[in-house]
Amino acid sequence: MNRKRVLASLLFALLVGTAFWISPSEAQPGTVKQVADGVWFREGERRHHGHCNNVIIEMRDFLIVVDANFPSGAQAVLRDLKKISSKPVKYVFDTHHHGDHAYGNPVWTRQGTTTLAYVGVSEEMERYEPQRWQEAAKARKGIAALGLEAPEPPKKTFSESPFVIEDETRRVEFHFFGWAHTRGDGFAYLPQEKILCTGDAITNGPFNYTGDGYIGNWPKVVEAAKGLDVEIVLPGHGGVGGPELLDGEQRFMTELHAAVKEAIDDGQTLGDLVRMGRDGEPVSTTVVLSDAVKNWVGERLALQVRDAYEEITQGKPHGEILAGS
């Protein structure tokens, strides 16, 4: 494995284990709120534990949980589930392969739950693991305690979109719209309630990780998601929102790509756009985006600019560059 990919793996482990500060008035980590009849949103303890958000969906005889989380996050969700319903969790849907969304899979399957994902999630695990798992296990006791050498892939996958689970009480659709945050990005959609669970293809805040992504295609994926009738958006990180989160995410990625492309066309180099730290990773950037996307602009902007620059100049998705494929 080349040095760049090793550094990227270490950075990924850091990013999924930490978080960026947002105002306490905006964040409600560890809280569970009902967003519709039989649907709950749990905001993850991102700042202190790196947990993603989770969604709990009640069916007639069982529950569906969106995202397995880290093992510690899965345990936190299980504790809160006891306050919500006595029904068993039959399915946990992994929106993508990243540790804060899928490393908790064994916690769920050891209780008889079936983990579910678009087939691209398993394929991404084959690409990037077990190195990321092993690096994360050094810092996260919950991962090490599972006693596994690699993450557990989803037990059930689908390739035809949408995959549907329904009974007389509710219909849940699982969609794949293409490569944005990862090659396996999945969305859970409740058509009756007009609720869209997005994983990290949509965030509500400066949380976008573009290392495994396809920045140029990201707006197209969001556009496809906007084809659904959506009133409530439940993102992978950040609070509950509406269709404005889809618009904002789409505009952020569009502006990011366009700004870097314009700089390249003007003859600017990566060194002109990004200042590197001693470890060779970006620490600041000269790229400025509009106030319209300020909700998504944060400390990761320099990394995102670097990734966009490499994607554009090398003519292929950044995730392909990182994976060396």
Side-chain angles (χ1 to χ4, degrees), residues 10-66:
L10 292 172
L11 176 64
F12 173 81
L14 174 65
L15 290 177
V16 298
T18 60
F20 295 99
W21 170 255
I22 58 177
S23 167
S25 64
E26 299 170 351
Q28 296 179 303
T31 62
V32 179
K33 63 176 68 175
Q34 189 166 6
V35 295
D37 184 28
V39 183
W40 295 267
F41 175 78
R42 186 185 190 281
E43 187 167 341
E45 300 88 343
R46 180 176 174 81
R47 185 184 181 199
H48 296 293
H49 302 291
H51 296 163
C52 72
N53 298 333
N54 291 92
V55 182
I56 300 99
I57 303 166
E58 185 178 30
M59 307 297 283
R60 187 191 66 182
D61 300 320
F62 59 89
L63 304 175
I64 299 172
V65 172
V66 176

Side-chain angles (χ1 to χ4, degrees), residues 1-302:
M1 180 174 288
N2 61 41
R3 180 175 180 273
K4 179 179 176 182
R5 190 171 174 187
V6 171
L7 286 172
S9 293
L10 292 172
L11 176 64
F12 173 81
L14 174 65
L15 290 177
V16 298
T18 60
F20 295 99
W21 170 255
I22 58 177
S23 167
S25 64
E26 299 170 351
Q28 296 179 303
T31 62
V32 179
K33 63 176 68 175
Q34 189 166 6
V35 295
D37 184 28
V39 183
W40 295 267
F41 175 78
R42 186 185 190 281
E43 187 167 341
E45 300 88 343
R46 180 176 174 81
R47 185 184 181 199
H48 296 293
H49 302 291
H51 296 163
C52 72
N53 298 333
N54 291 92
V55 182
I56 300 99
I57 303 166
E58 185 178 30
M59 307 297 283
R60 187 191 66 182
D61 300 320
F62 59 89
L63 304 175
I64 299 172
V65 172
V66 176
D67 277 319
N69 215 308
F70 275 128
S72 56
Q75 295 291 355
V77 175
L78 283 166
R79 288 192 294 269
D80 285 339
L81 281 174
K82 296 178 182 178
K83 307 170 189 175
I84 294 172
S85 175
S86 60
K87 295 178 182 179
V89 178
K90 186 173 183 179
Y91 296 102
V92 169
F93 177 59
D94 294 337
T95 59
H96 59 289
H97 73 283
H98 287 159
D100 55 333
H101 294 258
Y103 280 4
N105 279 351
V107 174
W108 299 99
T109 58
R110 290 175 183 182
Q111 299 192 49
T113 298
T114 298
T115 44
L116 168 72
Y118 176 68
V119 66
V121 173
S122 293
E123 293 168 352
E124 287 284 71
M125 284 187 176
E126 291 176 4
R127 253 178 218 107
Y128 294 110
E129 301 294 358
Q131 178 159 350
R132 290 183 177 182
W133 172 273
Q134 293 169 0
E135 289 294 339
K138 296 175 184 178
R140 303 190 69 94
K141 295 180 180 179
I143 295 175
L146 291 172
L148 301 174
E149 293 298 317
E152 182 181 278
K155 295 296 186 181
K156 181 179 181 63
T157 61
F158 63 92
S159 57
E160 296 295 323
S161 177
F163 177 83
V164 177
I165 297 175
E166 64 181 330
D167 58 24
E168 60 268 34
T169 63
R170 197 184 312 278
R171 176 182 174 94
V172 184
E173 300 175 358
F174 301 94
H175 290 264
F176 173 72
F177 295 120
W179 186 354
H181 179 61
T182 71
R183 302 184 215 210
D185 293 327
F187 294 75
Y189 175 58
L190 284 62
Q192 180 179 337
E193 297 81 4
K194 301 181 180 181
I195 293 174
L196 183 65
C197 312
T198 68
D200 289 358
I202 310 293
T203 66
N204 187 3
F207 310 125
N208 285 302
Y209 172 69
T210 51
D212 297 337
Y214 187 176
I215 297 168
N217 195 59
W218 206 312
K220 297 177 184 177
V221 172
V222 180
E223 186 64 27
K226 289 167 68 174
L228 302 172
D229 186 5
V230 176
E231 292 183 356
I232 299 174
V233 176
L234 306 180
H237 297 282
V240 176
E244 74 281 352
L245 294 187
L246 302 178
D247 294 334
E249 182 75 42
Q250 184 179 46
R251 182 164 181 172
F252 172 78
M253 289 298 168
T254 300
E255 285 196 19
L256 171 65
H257 192 276
V260 176
K261 177 67 163 57
E262 182 178 2
I264 292 170
D265 291 344
D266 287 343
Q268 295 189 56
T269 66
L270 181 59
D272 296 323
L273 299 180
V274 173
R275 181 174 69 84
M276 299 293 184
R278 292 182 180 179
D279 61 356
E281 289 297 310
V283 295
S284 64
T285 180
T286 59
V287 171
V288 178
L289 304 182
S290 76
D291 285 346
V293 297
K294 64 182 180 181
N295 180 53
W296 290 268
V297 175
E299 295 181 37
R300 293 186 185 180
L301 183 59

